[in-house]
Amino acid sequence: TEKPVESMAGFLNKIGYLGMAIAASGAVASSVLYNVEGGHRAVIFDRFRGVLPTVAGEGTHFYVPWVQQPIIYDVRSQPRNVPVMTPSKDLQTVNITLRLLYRPRVETLPNMYNTLGVDYDERVLPSIANEVLKAIVAQFDAGELITQREVVSAACREALNARAKEFDIVLDDISITHLTFGTEFTRAVEYKQVAQQEAERARFLVEQAEQEKLANVIRAEGDSQAGLLISRAFEEYGNGLIELRKIEAAKEIAAALSKSRNVVYLPGGNNMLMNLNIPQV
């Protein structure tokens, strides 16, 4: 009975040793391996050789613990808003916001780590955006910034791409998302709109008065022409026209009275009973 027990204990000890060996190998493997996720790249900093010139792609890679250190970069396009306050050509205060989609140039990541570090966007983008926007906005007055917004955006895109290229940064998209002016300019625009509306109203009133004046002149000319025609008719035909107008007016009055229920016809003379000739006693 002792031999089976000893063999079982030896078997369990072997399993324990195997588990310890697997755990130790896993710990060693985790200490010499690192992962690069999708959309990321890594550069290696060596304590003896400095930043290595190679860039590690996606996947699992080996490195020497303590001697080497992987630095992970996100190489996907990332958004950033850069607000800038700057004067225009006509000295109006402009609040403008740029939206940038940026990413690092993959092949130059070792040099970027040496010169700018991991937070390259914080070091570079605000400064070049301020510089470019102030130079571009100063070329346009406030009205042109509104009416020629596409031209301003294209000029900013071209200048920013050139400046970002010097720092190995790629700008996938540049757009103006916010554009406002100071309170004084906004108030001046409102006053201008009110003045334009008042001018339009005054112009309408002037035109209306001119039209009324013209209508009065035409009406007076028509009345004088009508009076002239009537006087000529009197000269040619005498009072016949007046008599004709009296007859027409009488016909109209008789027609109106005949339709009324409260009006009765009373024949002339003293006798109102069917106009009978009754001999007098």
Side-chain angles (χ1 to χ4, degrees):
T1 57
E2 294 179 357
K3 289 184 177 180
V5 172
E6 291 178 355
S7 62
M8 180 61 69
F11 177 73
L12 292 177
N13 289 333
K14 290 181 181 179
I15 292 178
Y17 293 148
L18 180 60
M20 292 175 62
I22 292 174
S25 62
V28 171
S30 64
S31 65
V32 298
L33 296 176
Y34 68 94
N35 293 323
V36 179
E37 303 295 335
H40 294 72
R41 297 293 185 273
V43 296
I44 301 298
F45 172 74
D46 192 288
R47 292 183 182 271
F48 301 105
R49 294 178 293 173
V51 179
L52 301 182
T54 58
V55 178
E58 301 169 357
T60 302
H61 305 274
F62 289 95
Y63 75 106
V64 180
W66 187 83
V67 176
Q68 294 179 338
Q69 177 186 358
I71 295 95
I72 307 299
Y73 275 89
D74 189 348
V75 296
R76 297 170 295 184
S77 293
Q78 303 176 67
R80 183 183 180 91
N81 292 328
V82 181
V84 178
M85 181 181 294
T86 180
S88 62
K89 185 178 180 180
D90 52 354
L91 301 180
Q92 297 294 334
T93 302
V94 182
N95 297 311
I96 188 168
T97 301
L98 276 183
R99 183 178 183 272
L100 308 176
L101 283 179
Y102 68 95
R103 56 185 173 86
R105 198 179 300 275
V106 174
E107 59 272 16
T108 61
L109 284 178
N111 180 61
M112 177 178 288
Y113 181 73
N114 276 328
T115 56
L116 299 174
V118 179
D119 56 344
Y120 64 95
D121 54 335
E122 294 289 342
R123 297 172 180 266
V124 175
L125 294 180
S127 60
I128 64 174
N130 272 277
E131 174 190 353
V132 169
L133 274 178
K134 289 183 178 180
I136 297 299
V137 171
Q139 301 175 12
F140 300 87
D141 57 29
E144 292 173 344
L145 289 175
I146 299 174
T147 59
Q148 302 182 21
R149 186 165 179 168
E150 291 297 329
V151 177
V152 177
S153 180
C156 293
R157 187 179 301 112
E158 182 179 357
L160 276 174
N161 278 322
R163 290 288 288 135
K165 189 176 181 181
E166 300 176 5
F167 299 95
D168 298 321
I169 300 175
V170 179
L171 297 179
D172 293 326
D173 183 65
I174 302 170
S175 58
I176 298 175
T177 59
H178 183 72
L179 178 64
T180 58
F181 299 92
T183 55
E184 294 181 358
F185 178 79
T186 305
R187 192 179 299 112
V189 171
E190 293 176 354
Y191 289 159
K192 182 179 179 181
Q193 292 178 348
V194 172
Q196 288 178 348
Q197 293 176 357
E198 292 293 335
E200 291 293 333
R201 183 173 179 274
R203 186 181 308 165
F204 170 76
L205 293 176
V206 170
E207 293 179 354
Q208 184 180 13
E210 291 179 353
Q211 293 296 328
E212 291 179 355
K213 180 179 179 181
L214 181 60
N216 292 332
V217 171
I218 295 174
R219 190 179 300 110
E221 292 179 352
D223 293 341
S224 62
Q225 188 69 22
L228 181 61
L229 293 176
I230 292 173
S231 62
R232 289 180 180 177
F234 285 157
E235 293 177 357
E236 293 181 5
Y237 304 104
N239 295 331
L241 181 61
I242 297 176
E243 296 296 331
L244 177 61
R245 292 289 184 264
K246 288 182 178 180
I247 294 173
E248 291 176 353
K251 287 183 179 180
E252 293 178 359
I253 294 172
L257 292 176
S258 64
K259 296 178 182 179
S260 178
R261 297 180 179 179
N262 298 325
V263 177
V264 295
Y265 173 72
L266 298 177
N270 295 327
N271 192 356
M272 295 184 297
L273 297 176
M274 298 182 64
N275 201 16
L276 298 177
N277 293 324
I278 301 174
Q280 305 214 356
V281 182

